[in-house]
Amino acid sequence: MATRDDVIRTAQRGVPLSRFFPTRRGARQPAFAALDLAEREQVIEVFTGLLEGLYTHLPLKRSRYGVDPVQRLRLLQQRADRLDPLGFHYELADIVTDLRDAHTRYVGPSDLAGQAAMLPFLVEAYGPVSSPRYIVSKVAKDRSLYGNNRYFEAGVEIRWWNAVPMDRAVDRHADDETGGRPDTRRARALESMTLRALQYGPPPDERWVNIGFVDRDGTDRELRIDWRVVAPSRAATSGQLSSGLGERSFGIDPAAETHRRVKKLLFAPHRWYADRRRTEVPVDASVPDGEWLPTSMQDALAAKVVKVRGQRLGYLRLWSFDVADDGAYLTEVIRLLGLLPDRGLIIDLRSNPGGLIWAAERLFQLFTPNPVMPNRFSLLATSLTRAMAGAAQNETELAPWQQSLDDAVANGELYSRAVPITPIEACNDVGQVYGGPVAAIVDPNTYSAGDLFAAGFVDNDIGPLISVGEATGAGGANVWLPEHVQGALLGTSYQQPTLPRGIGYTLAVRRATRVGPSDGAAIEDVGVRGDVQYAMTKNDLVGDNSDLIAFAGRLVLGQPRTALTVSGPDGAGRIVIRTRGVDQVDVVVDGLFQPSVRVSGQVTRVTLPGDWTGLEVRGSQSGRLVQRRLLVKS
């Protein structure tokens, strides 16, 4: 029976790219990629209808980039019979990629599902944007993947990539990447230089790379490393998606999610192995400061205590929102917050590729005493979306958009009204859980539902947002898969066929816009800008983000601090309210306000009526609400 280490070693090694993509007469010709002319025409027809009738960002992309994907598809149809099999896939993928939208991708044949080409190390940049430096931040432990080269290790600086200066090589990769801003494209290019999700883009042109690097002694060296193909798999701890409307509530970059799983396989293999099965975690689990707390959702969440200026702060890492159950995700975040100090909290969303929109947006309420608003979404106003909204099977989900889509014909509007996907009630049903000051960290690879979390964090005035780089990745949409589109269009005149050979797509269907002070502002191609910008250091990349955490911690410690906890009721029906920095407490019992209590000390006792069912405790400072807790009688 294979041991854990055997399973990990086999998964990490995968197969050489040359074996996965066999050559035929000197050209890459995977046998599974061949489509006959009728199949090619069907694929083109489906993509033309989707981009013209359902793709929510089409007006923006035409205006911003001067591209017309619909016309390019018509031209492709004219010469579809003259392209070799792989050339047809490349051409179609290029048309979609030029939209610079990681939500909207051409998905290659199903033989490629879950497969990723990888080089067994990670390259990251540090320093100012104008003159970045590139180092190997992580390496896989299996040294045979590097030809047992003892000089190639974490911390070495990369100068050349296939004989091209590294900075120029990144720029060349960026030209082929998605992303509305140059910094976003560069961030994704840097990742794609060692990771390629094969279902969402072409494989590497080369079978190996020649890397020129400077070792730790300052000596110039060169190393050849082969591309290999691995299958990182989806984490069992994320749960299984159920069929139904919930599947249409995702905002995710699926390629980036595959990359994230490959990183875990290569650089945290024991955690990757644990993800392959569900693990029960004791509620009272405790570990020393600085170590990750055990969690049943370790693929999506992590938390630990960090120290900044001698103060214990909480650090919550939101790796991903790619979970099946937003309620379970919310519950686990609440449990972890209860194990962290209330002095202050750092929420880190760097490289979060998104996931379930409900899971992201229901978190806002945990960190603020005020009611929160989720982001809003709208549909492109076309005859297709009107027919879709009117279909019987969509009556529940799309009803809020239907009337405005009909009105758009008379009003000449491009879009329907903007409506939340996550119900407002679901965003306020738990209320504040964490009372300390909070700051969040994002970067250009924070995408989709990660963008939505960052937007809600800022627009609901939860705390300062720290941006590594210019802003978040700028993915502002709800993304659907072919089965979602087919189900929504069933019975309409726009009903979609199943594409041949397992070919598919991901499509941005509902456009996201912001609320609050930024009401109506788009997220796509713009992203969410931080209140403060930060440039990563070399120490961050090889030293567990120590400088970044210290920077964020100082920002948290500089914010005003208040606190409120509620315990009880005891046998006499009294609750005990402990406060810090609060001068007035208000208790609302079943919707009725009780007389306000002026707080002179840190402990306040209130007797409740025996028949209460719901309780709200509010703490104010100089007339401003700063703490709030909701309790339900068990």
Side-chain angles (χ1 to χ4, degrees):
M1 182 177 179
T3 67
R4 179 184 66 175
D5 289 345
D6 290 335
V7 172
I8 289 172
R9 190 178 301 109
T10 301
Q12 285 185 332
R13 292 191 63 80
V15 298
L17 184 70
S18 56
R19 190 187 308 169
F20 196 82
F21 283 90
T23 58
R24 184 181 301 167
R25 293 190 298 275
R28 286 173 298 158
Q29 300 268 343
F32 53 73
L35 298 175
D36 62 32
L37 181 59
E39 289 173 326
R40 293 183 185 194
E41 290 179 342
Q42 182 189 48
V43 171
I44 293 171
E45 182 180 350
V46 167
F47 273 82
T48 301
L50 292 174
L51 292 180
E52 197 168 34
L54 190 56
Y55 179 48
T56 191
H57 298 312
L58 184 62
L60 169 68
K61 302 300 182 176
R62 279 174 166 165
S63 174
R64 189 177 181 98
Y65 304 119
V67 298
D68 191 340
V70 176
Q71 177 62 14
R72 288 184 66 185
L73 285 168
R74 294 188 180 114
L75 294 174
L76 176 62
Q77 189 170 25
Q78 293 179 3
R79 54 192 179 88
D81 59 337
R82 300 194 297 273
L83 294 170
D84 63 71
L86 201 55
F88 175 79
H89 290 294
Y90 279 7
E91 185 77 18
L92 189 54
D94 187 61
I95 291 171
V96 179
T97 300
D98 279 353
L99 296 170
R100 301 199 182 281
D101 180 359
H103 278 138
T104 302
R105 293 184 182 262
Y106 168 73
V107 178
S110 58
D111 307 59
L112 298 167
Q115 308 283 344
M118 67 83 182
L119 299 172
F121 62 96
L122 196 63
V123 182
E124 295 187 77
Y126 72 93
V129 175
S130 58
S131 56
R133 300 179 71 173
Y134 303 92
I135 67 168
V136 174
S137 59
K138 291 181 175 62
V139 295
K141 291 182 179 180
D142 186 349
R143 301 302 301 178
S144 66
L145 295 171
Y146 315 100
N148 293 312
N149 186 302
R150 64 189 178 91
Y151 299 103
F152 192 77
E153 58 185 336
V156 302
E157 182 173 358
I158 295 186
R159 298 282 182 83
W160 303 89
W161 192 273
N162 286 335
V164 178
M166 186 61 183
D167 208 45
R168 175 60 183 147
V170 174
D171 284 340
R172 287 171 61 176
H173 276 274
D175 290 339
D176 297 326
E177 273 296 341
T178 60
R181 300 190 318 271
D183 67 310
T184 304
R185 291 194 292 276
R186 280 181 62 87
R188 292 178 188 163
L190 193 58
E191 184 168 85
S192 70
M193 291 177 79
T194 59
L195 293 169
R196 309 279 178 87
L198 294 175
Q199 241 192 325
Y200 304 104
D205 291 322
E206 67 277 5
R207 289 296 180 262
W208 59 79
V209 296
N210 289 311
I211 300 163
F213 67 97
V214 180
D215 69 16
R216 289 188 178 264
D217 294 327
T219 303
D220 289 328
R221 299 189 182 277
E222 189 170 330
L223 174 65
R224 168 179 151 170
I225 302 181
D226 293 333
W227 281 97
R228 304 185 72 86
V229 176
V230 296
S233 73
R234 191 172 189 270
T237 52
S238 295
Q240 296 299 314
L241 298 177
S242 59
S243 59
L245 299 181
E247 288 191 348
R248 296 182 190 163
S249 298
F250 271 70
I252 191 170
D253 177 354
E257 175 62 15
T258 299
H259 296 167
R260 188 184 69 83
R261 292 290 299 159
V262 174
K263 292 176 191 176
K264 196 159 194 175
L265 167 62
L266 292 176
F267 312 125
H270 293 166
R271 289 185 177 272
W272 170 86
Y273 184 84
D275 285 343
R276 301 173 80 234
R277 63 206 61 198
R278 290 185 177 275
T279 52
E280 295 297 326
V281 176
V283 175
D284 60 350
S286 60
V287 298
D289 289 357
E291 294 186 16
W292 295 113
L293 298 169
T295 169
S296 58
M297 286 191 169
Q298 65 175 351
D299 187 54
L301 298 170
K304 62 182 177 181
V305 176
V306 297
K307 285 190 176 179
V308 177
R309 291 182 173 174
Q311 299 285 327
R312 298 174 73 247
L313 301 176
Y315 179 76
L316 178 64
R317 194 71 161 94
L318 301 180
W319 298 112
S320 172
F321 297 115
D322 185 25
V323 295
D325 185 349
D326 60 286
Y329 189 85
L330 185 75
T331 299
E332 183 61 6
V333 170
I334 292 171
R335 188 186 75 83
L336 291 171
L337 290 174
L339 300 174
L340 297 176
D342 66 358
R343 178 63 187 85
L345 178 69
I346 301 165
I347 304 176
D348 193 344
L349 294 100
R350 288 173 299 140
S351 296
N352 185 316
L356 185 59
I357 294 171
W358 283 48
E361 294 189 323
R362 291 190 69 198
L363 294 186
F364 304 152
Q365 61 186 310
L366 306 183
F367 310 108
T368 176
N370 302 304
V372 300
M373 285 292 297
N375 300 278
R376 299 190 183 101
F377 294 80
S378 51
L379 287 157
L380 188 66
T382 67
S383 56
L384 184 151
T385 56
R386 287 195 294 276
M388 182 176 72
Q393 70 270 21
N394 304 318
E395 183 178 357
T396 300
E397 182 183 9
L398 299 182
W401 289 272
Q402 183 175 3
Q403 185 61 54
S404 62
L405 285 170
D406 293 338
D407 294 342
V409 177
N411 299 335
E413 298 286 346
L414 279 175
Y415 290 96
S416 70
R417 65 182 290 221
V419 181
I421 285 179
T422 310
I424 296 174
E425 317 83 70
C427 291
N428 293 279
D429 57 348
V430 175
Q432 186 179 19
V433 168
Y434 189 84
V438 183
I441 308 171
V442 296
D443 69 358
N445 285 324
T446 304
Y447 194 75
S448 197
D451 279 294
L452 299 178
F453 182 94
F457 189 86
V458 172
D459 296 341
N460 287 288
D461 195 26
I462 294 172
L465 185 71
I466 302 166
S467 176
V468 175
E470 187 178 331
T472 59
N478 163 222
V479 61
W480 286 11
L481 302 178
E483 55 265 35
H484 306 146
V485 176
Q486 290 169 342
L489 294 176
L490 193 65
T492 73
S493 58
Y494 299 93
Q495 189 165 317
Q496 295 287 307
T498 300
L499 289 169
R501 309 297 177 94
I503 288 172
Y505 54 83
T506 63
L507 187 72
V509 171
R510 288 182 278 197
R511 180 183 76 146
T513 51
R514 296 173 64 176
V515 298
S518 304
D519 190 30
I523 296 172
E524 181 71 19
D525 286 343
V526 178
V528 182
R529 299 181 186 276
D531 302 290
V532 183
Q533 288 192 346
Y534 177 84
M536 297 290 282
T537 67
K538 184 175 181 179
N539 196 40
D540 284 323
L541 301 185
V542 298
D544 203 22
N545 301 301
S546 54
D547 291 342
L548 172 60
I549 290 173
F551 178 86
R554 290 192 296 270
L555 195 62
V556 168
L557 291 172
Q559 296 181 62
R561 180 189 179 192
T562 62
L564 184 149
T565 61
V566 181
S567 58
D570 60 18
R574 290 178 303 183
I575 58 172
V576 178
I577 305 169
R578 291 178 171 83
T579 60
R580 177 191 177 99
V582 169
D583 56 28
Q584 179 175 311
V585 169
D586 289 286
V587 177
V588 184
V589 179
D590 295 330
L592 299 176
F593 277 84
Q594 307 301 301
S596 297
V597 178
R598 300 298 299 177
V599 179
S600 56
Q602 293 186 345
V603 178
T604 304
R605 291 178 173 81
V606 176
T607 301
L608 303 176
D611 57 352
W612 72 278
T613 57
L615 180 67
E616 179 180 348
V617 179
R618 300 182 175 195
S620 302
Q621 183 187 68
S622 301
R624 183 174 67 91
L625 182 66
V626 293
Q627 296 285 340
R628 177 171 170 263
R629 300 291 184 275
L630 300 179
L631 291 87
V632 177
K633 194 172 187 179
S634 57

